[in-house]
Amino acid sequence: ARGGPAATAEQIAAIGRSRRPPREGLAGERDQALLERGDQIRTWLFKEHLRLTKVAELLAREGLVVPYTTLRRFARAHCDFGRRTLTVRLADPPPGREAQADFGRLGLLWDPESERRRLAHAFILVLSYSRHQFVDIVFDQTIPTVIACFEKAWAYLGGVVAYAIPDNIKAIVTKADLYHPTFHPAFLEYATYRGFLVDPARPADPTGKARVERPVPYVRDRFFRGETFLDIDDCRRRAIAWCTDVAGQRIHGTTRRRPLVVFEDEEKVHMRPLSAEPFDVPAWGTCKVHPDHHVRFLQSLYSVPTRYVGSEVAVRADSRLVRIYQGSEIIKTHARKAPGKRSTDYNDYPKELTPYALRDPDYYTEKALKKGEHIGCFMEALLDGPFPWAKLR
């Protein structure tokens, strides 16, 4: 009793004898049922990467209701679930050698262009040696946006690293693979232009870019949450100031040094210089050559020689030129046209169709004269006037 004398040894022994013994039979039946489904449980856990709570739910749908603690004990004993794996700490690369990049979800921001609040993401680039970082705020992850983020990062850092380790987003890696990833041609052009190699992280493995994985929640919690921003432009300006004044001046948890100080003193001199000429971001696409000898790309028409009619071609357009490829061969080059316009090289047409395409009345008058004098006079009179091409047919 509260405030009374302590329990005696005899009373404690009596309480122990009165406890209900465990139901061995029921536990044995559950373990046996789980053993019969062991292969399925391992498939759910390690091939489909389901959480153990989801596995318990699926087993309940099949009629096997098991307490979570029982299922966890079984998974640890028979499925190697939750067993810690040995890891090694990667050595830091030399200064100016490597940068890791990733996108992280932040929250809603006001977009002046669409005049509404939109979900914003942070582009984060971390130098692996100094841990100094750059942050930009974006609403999408298209190829022009991603390249613009890298351009801003190099401008902020004042140089380019030897190789970058990005995440496997579609704007950079169109097909993720451990050994042979397929890169977006525009980003591969950009990396070649800036002089760095692209080494994407292993698919679905955050440890492949650990130095940027941890800063994602750090940026979200320490910079974004709890703050009020006017719009995305205001957020971008404050993000750069935060990288310099806060993130760059903190004592890093791993290196125990200030990232900005290490960057300025040891790493910046080893980075490759940044050329002043900006990269002209191209657009790539696959088009079919139509029977009218043209391909439609970015809402404009561009002519292609007759022999390619009906075939698939690759089209690359930058701000000035449009290049059309058959495999790795350039088959046609045009000046870039505005949407709704067309660029036609009449030499691409068969010779017998060129005069009609050019609307050339003189050609048909001469052709008629070869048939006879009166036919020629008739054709000359027919095609006379301000709109002769209306009568060519």
Coordinates of all heavy atoms in Angstrom, one line a residue, residues 273-330:
P273 N 39.1 27.1 -64.0 CA 38.5 28.4 -64.2 C 37.2 28.3 -65.0 O 37.0 27.4 -65.8 CB 39.6 29.1 -65.0 CG 40.5 28.1 -65.6 CD 40.4 26.9 -64.6
L274 N 36.3 29.2 -64.8 CA 35.0 29.2 -65.4 C 35.1 30.2 -66.6 O 35.4 31.4 -66.4 CB 34.0 29.6 -64.4 CG 32.5 29.6 -64.9 CD1 32.0 28.2 -65.2 CD2 31.6 30.2 -63.8
S275 N 34.8 29.7 -67.8 CA 34.8 30.6 -69.0 C 33.5 31.5 -68.9 O 32.5 31.2 -68.3 CB 34.7 29.8 -70.3 OG 33.6 29.0 -70.3
A276 N 33.7 32.7 -69.5 CA 32.6 33.7 -69.4 C 31.5 33.4 -70.3 O 30.3 33.8 -70.1 CB 33.2 35.1 -69.7
E277 N 31.7 32.7 -71.4 CA 30.7 32.4 -72.4 C 29.6 31.5 -71.8 O 30.0 30.3 -71.5 CB 31.3 31.8 -73.7 CG 30.3 31.6 -74.8 CD 29.8 32.9 -75.4 OE1 30.5 34.0 -75.2 OE2 28.7 32.9 -76.1
P278 N 28.4 31.8 -71.7 CA 27.4 30.9 -71.2 C 27.0 29.8 -72.1 O 27.2 29.9 -73.3 CB 26.1 31.8 -70.9 CG 26.3 32.9 -72.0 CD 27.8 33.2 -72.1
F279 N 26.6 28.7 -71.6 CA 26.2 27.5 -72.4 C 24.9 27.7 -73.0 O 23.9 28.1 -72.4 CB 26.2 26.3 -71.5 CG 25.9 25.0 -72.3 CD1 26.7 24.5 -73.2 CD2 24.7 24.4 -72.0 CE1 26.4 23.3 -73.9 CE2 24.3 23.2 -72.7 CZ 25.2 22.7 -73.6
D280 N 24.8 27.5 -74.3 CA 23.5 27.6 -75.1 C 22.8 26.2 -75.0 O 23.2 25.3 -75.6 CB 23.8 27.9 -76.5 CG 22.5 28.3 -77.3 OD1 21.4 28.2 -76.7 OD2 22.6 28.6 -78.5
V281 N 21.8 26.2 -74.1 CA 21.1 24.9 -73.8 C 20.4 24.4 -75.0 O 19.4 25.1 -75.5 CB 20.2 25.0 -72.6 CG1 19.5 23.7 -72.3 CG2 20.9 25.6 -71.4
P282 N 20.7 23.3 -75.6 CA 20.0 22.8 -76.8 C 18.7 21.9 -76.3 O 18.6 21.4 -75.2 CB 21.0 21.9 -77.5 CG 21.8 21.3 -76.3 CD 21.8 22.4 -75.3
A283 N 17.8 21.8 -77.3 CA 16.7 20.9 -77.1 C 16.8 19.8 -78.1 O 17.2 20.0 -79.3 CB 15.4 21.7 -77.4
W284 N 16.6 18.6 -77.6 CA 16.7 17.4 -78.4 C 15.4 16.7 -78.6 O 14.5 16.8 -77.7 CB 17.7 16.4 -77.8 CG 19.2 16.7 -78.0 CD1 19.9 17.6 -77.3 CD2 20.0 16.2 -79.0 NE1 21.2 17.6 -77.7 CE2 21.3 16.8 -78.8 CE3 19.9 15.3 -80.1 CZ2 22.4 16.5 -79.7 CZ3 20.9 15.0 -80.9 CH2 22.2 15.6 -80.7
G285 N 15.2 16.0 -79.7 CA 14.0 15.3 -79.9 C 14.1 14.3 -81.1 O 15.1 14.4 -81.9
T286 N 13.1 13.4 -81.2 CA 13.1 12.5 -82.3 C 11.8 12.8 -83.1 O 10.7 12.9 -82.6 CB 13.0 11.0 -81.8 OG1 14.2 10.8 -81.0 CG2 13.0 10.0 -82.9
C287 N 12.0 12.9 -84.4 CA 10.9 13.3 -85.3 C 10.8 12.3 -86.5 O 11.8 11.7 -86.9 CB 11.0 14.7 -85.8 SG 11.1 16.0 -84.5
K288 N 9.7 12.3 -87.1 CA 9.5 11.5 -88.4 C 9.4 12.5 -89.5 O 8.8 13.5 -89.5 CB 8.2 10.7 -88.3 CG 8.0 9.8 -89.5 CD 6.8 8.9 -89.4 CE 6.6 8.0 -90.6 NZ 5.4 7.1 -90.4
V289 N 10.1 12.2 -90.6 CA 10.1 13.0 -91.8 C 8.8 12.7 -92.6 O 8.5 11.6 -93.0 CB 11.3 12.7 -92.7 CG1 11.3 13.6 -93.9 CG2 12.6 12.9 -91.9
H290 N 8.0 13.7 -92.7 CA 6.6 13.6 -93.3 C 6.7 13.6 -94.8 O 7.8 14.0 -95.4 CB 5.7 14.7 -92.8 CG 5.5 14.6 -91.3 ND1 4.7 13.6 -90.7 CD2 5.9 15.4 -90.3 CE1 4.7 13.8 -89.4 NE2 5.4 14.9 -89.2
P291 N 5.7 13.2 -95.5 CA 5.7 13.1 -97.0 C 6.0 14.5 -97.6 O 6.4 14.6 -98.8 CB 4.4 12.6 -97.4 CG 3.9 11.8 -96.2 CD 4.5 12.5 -95.0
D292 N 5.7 15.6 -96.9 CA 6.0 16.9 -97.5 C 7.5 17.3 -97.3 O 7.8 18.5 -97.4 CB 5.1 18.0 -96.9 CG 5.3 18.1 -95.4 OD1 6.1 17.4 -94.8 OD2 4.6 19.0 -94.7
H293 N 8.3 16.4 -96.9 CA 9.8 16.6 -96.8 C 10.1 17.4 -95.6 O 11.3 17.9 -95.5 CB 10.4 17.3 -98.0 CG 10.3 16.4 -99.3 ND1 9.1 16.2 -99.9 CD2 11.3 15.8 -100.0 CE1 9.4 15.4 -101.0 NE2 10.7 15.2 -101.1
H294 N 9.3 17.6 -94.6 CA 9.5 18.4 -93.4 C 9.4 17.6 -92.1 O 8.7 16.6 -92.1 CB 8.6 19.6 -93.4 CG 8.9 20.6 -94.4 ND1 8.6 20.5 -95.7 CD2 9.5 21.9 -94.3 CE1 9.0 21.6 -96.4 NE2 9.5 22.4 -95.5
V295 N 10.1 18.0 -91.1 CA 9.9 17.6 -89.8 C 9.4 18.7 -88.9 O 9.7 19.9 -89.2 CB 11.2 17.0 -89.1 CG1 11.7 15.8 -89.9 CG2 12.3 18.1 -89.1
R296 N 8.5 18.4 -88.0 CA 8.0 19.4 -87.1 C 8.7 19.3 -85.8 O 8.6 18.3 -85.1 CB 6.5 19.2 -86.9 CG 5.8 20.2 -85.9 CD 4.4 20.0 -85.8 NE 3.7 20.3 -87.0 CZ 3.3 21.5 -87.4 NH1 3.5 22.6 -86.6 NH2 2.6 21.7 -88.5
F297 N 9.4 20.4 -85.4 CA 10.1 20.4 -84.1 C 9.9 21.7 -83.4 O 10.2 22.8 -84.1 CB 11.6 20.1 -84.3 CG 12.4 19.9 -83.1 CD1 12.1 18.8 -82.3 CD2 13.4 20.8 -82.7 CE1 12.8 18.6 -81.1 CE2 14.1 20.6 -81.6 CZ 13.8 19.5 -80.7
L298 N 9.5 21.7 -82.2 CA 9.3 23.0 -81.4 C 8.3 23.9 -82.2 O 8.5 25.1 -82.3 CB 10.6 23.7 -81.1 CG 11.6 22.9 -80.2 CD1 12.8 23.7 -80.0 CD2 10.9 22.5 -78.9
Q299 N 7.3 23.3 -82.8 CA 6.2 24.0 -83.5 C 6.7 24.8 -84.7 O 6.1 25.7 -85.2 CB 5.5 25.0 -82.5 CG 5.0 24.4 -81.3 CD 4.0 23.3 -81.5 OE1 3.2 23.4 -82.4 NE2 4.1 22.2 -80.8
S300 N 7.8 24.3 -85.3 CA 8.3 24.9 -86.6 C 8.6 23.7 -87.5 O 8.8 22.6 -87.1 CB 9.6 25.7 -86.3 OG 9.3 26.8 -85.4
L301 N 8.7 24.1 -88.8 CA 8.9 23.1 -89.9 C 10.3 23.3 -90.5 O 10.7 24.4 -90.7 CB 7.8 23.2 -90.9 CG 6.4 22.9 -90.5 CD1 5.4 23.1 -91.7 CD2 6.3 21.4 -90.1
Y302 N 11.0 22.1 -90.7 CA 12.3 22.2 -91.3 C 12.4 21.1 -92.4 O 12.0 19.9 -92.1 CB 13.4 22.0 -90.2 CG 13.4 23.0 -89.2 CD1 12.7 22.8 -88.0 CD2 14.0 24.2 -89.3 CE1 12.6 23.7 -87.0 CE2 13.9 25.2 -88.3 CZ 13.2 24.9 -87.1 OH 13.2 25.9 -86.2
S303 N 12.9 21.4 -93.6 CA 12.9 20.5 -94.7 C 14.1 19.5 -94.6 O 15.1 19.8 -94.0 CB 13.0 21.2 -96.0 OG 14.3 21.9 -96.1
V304 N 13.9 18.3 -95.2 CA 14.9 17.2 -95.2 C 14.9 16.6 -96.6 O 13.8 16.6 -97.3 CB 14.5 16.1 -94.1 CG1 15.5 15.0 -94.2 CG2 14.5 16.7 -92.7
P305 N 16.0 16.2 -97.1 CA 16.1 15.6 -98.5 C 15.1 14.4 -98.6 O 14.8 13.8 -97.7 CB 17.5 15.2 -98.6 CG 18.3 16.1 -97.7 CD 17.4 16.3 -96.5
T306 N 14.8 14.2 -99.9 CA 13.7 13.2 -100.3 C 14.1 11.8 -99.7 O 13.2 11.1 -99.3 CB 13.6 13.1 -101.8 OG1 13.2 14.4 -102.3 CG2 12.5 12.2 -102.2
R307 N 15.3 11.4 -99.8 CA 15.7 10.0 -99.4 C 15.4 9.7 -98.0 O 15.4 8.5 -97.6 CB 17.1 9.7 -99.7 CG 18.1 10.6 -99.0 CD 19.6 10.2 -99.4 NE 20.6 11.0 -98.8 CZ 21.0 12.2 -99.2 NH1 20.4 12.7 -100.3 NH2 21.9 12.9 -98.5
Y308 N 15.1 10.7 -97.1 CA 14.9 10.5 -95.7 C 13.4 10.5 -95.4 O 13.0 10.4 -94.2 CB 15.6 11.5 -94.8 CG 17.1 11.4 -95.0 CD1 17.8 12.4 -95.7 CD2 17.9 10.4 -94.5 CE1 19.1 12.4 -95.9 CE2 19.2 10.3 -94.7 CZ 19.9 11.4 -95.4 OH 21.2 11.3 -95.5
V309 N 12.5 10.7 -96.4 CA 11.1 10.7 -96.1 C 10.6 9.4 -95.5 O 10.9 8.3 -96.0 CB 10.3 11.1 -97.4 CG1 8.8 10.9 -97.2 CG2 10.6 12.5 -97.9
G310 N 9.9 9.5 -94.4 CA 9.3 8.3 -93.8 C 10.2 7.8 -92.7 O 9.8 6.9 -92.0
S311 N 11.4 8.3 -92.5 CA 12.4 7.7 -91.5 C 12.4 8.6 -90.3 O 11.9 9.7 -90.2 CB 13.8 7.7 -92.1 OG 14.2 9.0 -92.5
E312 N 12.9 8.0 -89.2 CA 13.0 8.7 -87.9 C 14.4 9.4 -87.9 O 15.4 8.8 -88.2 CB 12.9 7.7 -86.8 CG 11.6 7.0 -86.6 CD 10.6 7.9 -85.9 OE1 11.0 8.9 -85.3 OE2 9.3 7.7 -86.1
V313 N 14.4 10.6 -87.4 CA 15.6 11.4 -87.4 C 15.7 12.1 -86.0 O 14.7 12.3 -85.3 CB 15.7 12.5 -88.5 CG1 15.8 11.8 -89.8 CG2 14.5 13.4 -88.4
A314 N 16.9 12.4 -85.5 CA 17.1 13.1 -84.3 C 17.3 14.6 -84.6 O 18.0 14.9 -85.6 CB 18.3 12.5 -83.5
V315 N 16.7 15.4 -83.8 CA 16.8 16.9 -84.1 C 17.3 17.6 -82.9 O 16.9 17.3 -81.7 CB 15.4 17.4 -84.4 CG1 15.5 18.9 -84.8 CG2 14.7 16.6 -85.6
R316 N 18.3 18.4 -83.1 CA 18.9 19.2 -82.1 C 18.8 20.7 -82.4 O 19.2 21.1 -83.5 CB 20.4 18.9 -81.9 CG 21.1 19.7 -80.8 CD 22.6 19.6 -81.0 NE 23.3 20.4 -79.9 CZ 23.6 21.7 -80.0 NH1 23.2 22.4 -81.0 NH2 24.3 22.3 -79.0
A317 N 18.2 21.5 -81.5 CA 18.0 22.9 -81.7 C 18.5 23.7 -80.6 O 18.2 23.5 -79.4 CB 16.5 23.2 -81.9
D318 N 19.4 24.7 -80.9 CA 19.8 25.7 -79.9 C 19.2 27.0 -80.3 O 18.3 27.1 -81.1 CB 21.4 25.7 -79.8 CG 22.1 25.9 -81.1 OD1 21.5 26.6 -82.0 OD2 23.2 25.4 -81.3
S319 N 19.8 28.1 -79.8 CA 19.1 29.4 -80.0 C 19.4 29.9 -81.4 O 18.7 30.8 -81.9 CB 19.7 30.4 -79.0 OG 21.1 30.6 -79.2
R320 N 20.3 29.3 -82.2 CA 20.7 29.8 -83.5 C 20.4 28.8 -84.6 O 20.0 29.1 -85.7 CB 22.1 30.2 -83.5 CG 22.4 31.4 -82.7 CD 23.9 31.8 -82.6 NE 24.7 30.7 -82.0 CZ 26.0 30.6 -81.9 NH1 26.7 31.6 -82.4 NH2 26.6 29.6 -81.3
L321 N 20.8 27.5 -84.4 CA 20.8 26.5 -85.4 C 19.9 25.3 -85.1 O 19.7 25.0 -83.9 CB 22.2 26.0 -85.8 CG 23.2 27.1 -86.4 CD1 24.5 26.4 -86.6 CD2 22.6 27.6 -87.7
V322 N 19.4 24.6 -86.1 CA 18.7 23.4 -85.9 C 19.5 22.4 -86.8 O 19.6 22.5 -88.0 CB 17.2 23.5 -86.4 CG1 16.6 22.1 -86.4 CG2 16.5 24.4 -85.5
R323 N 19.9 21.3 -86.1 CA 20.7 20.2 -86.8 C 19.9 19.0 -86.8 O 19.3 18.6 -85.7 CB 22.0 20.0 -86.1 CG 23.0 21.2 -86.2 CD 24.3 20.9 -85.5 NE 25.3 21.9 -85.6 CZ 25.4 22.9 -84.8 NH1 24.7 22.9 -83.7 NH2 26.3 23.9 -84.9
I324 N 19.8 18.3 -87.9 CA 19.0 17.1 -88.1 C 20.0 15.9 -88.4 O 20.9 16.0 -89.2 CB 18.0 17.2 -89.2 CG1 17.1 18.4 -88.9 CG2 17.2 15.9 -89.3 CD1 16.1 18.7 -90.0
Y325 N 19.9 14.8 -87.6 CA 20.8 13.7 -87.6 C 20.1 12.4 -88.1 O 18.9 12.2 -87.7 CB 21.4 13.5 -86.2 CG 22.3 14.6 -85.7 CD1 21.7 15.7 -85.1 CD2 23.7 14.5 -85.8 CE1 22.5 16.7 -84.6 CE2 24.5 15.5 -85.3 CZ 23.9 16.6 -84.7 OH 24.6 17.6 -84.2
Q326 N 20.8 11.7 -88.9 CA 20.4 10.3 -89.1 C 21.5 9.4 -88.5 O 22.6 9.3 -89.1 CB 20.3 10.0 -90.6 CG 20.0 8.6 -91.0 CD 18.5 8.3 -90.8 OE1 17.7 8.9 -91.4 NE2 18.2 7.3 -90.0
G327 N 21.2 8.8 -87.4 CA 22.3 8.2 -86.6 C 23.2 9.2 -86.0 O 22.8 10.2 -85.4
S328 N 24.5 9.1 -86.4 CA 25.5 10.1 -85.9 C 25.9 11.1 -87.0 O 26.8 11.9 -86.8 CB 26.8 9.4 -85.5 OG 27.3 8.6 -86.5
E329 N 25.2 11.0 -88.2 CA 25.5 11.9 -89.3 C 24.6 13.0 -89.4 O 23.3 12.9 -89.3 CB 25.4 11.0 -90.6 CG 25.7 11.8 -91.9 CD 25.4 11.1 -93.2 OE1 25.0 9.9 -93.0 OE2 25.5 11.6 -94.3
I330 N 25.1 14.2 -89.6 CA 24.3 15.4 -89.8 C 23.8 15.4 -91.3 O 24.6 15.4 -92.2 CB 25.1 16.7 -89.5 CG1 25.5 16.8 -88.0 CG2 24.2 17.9 -89.8 CD1 26.3 18.0 -87.7

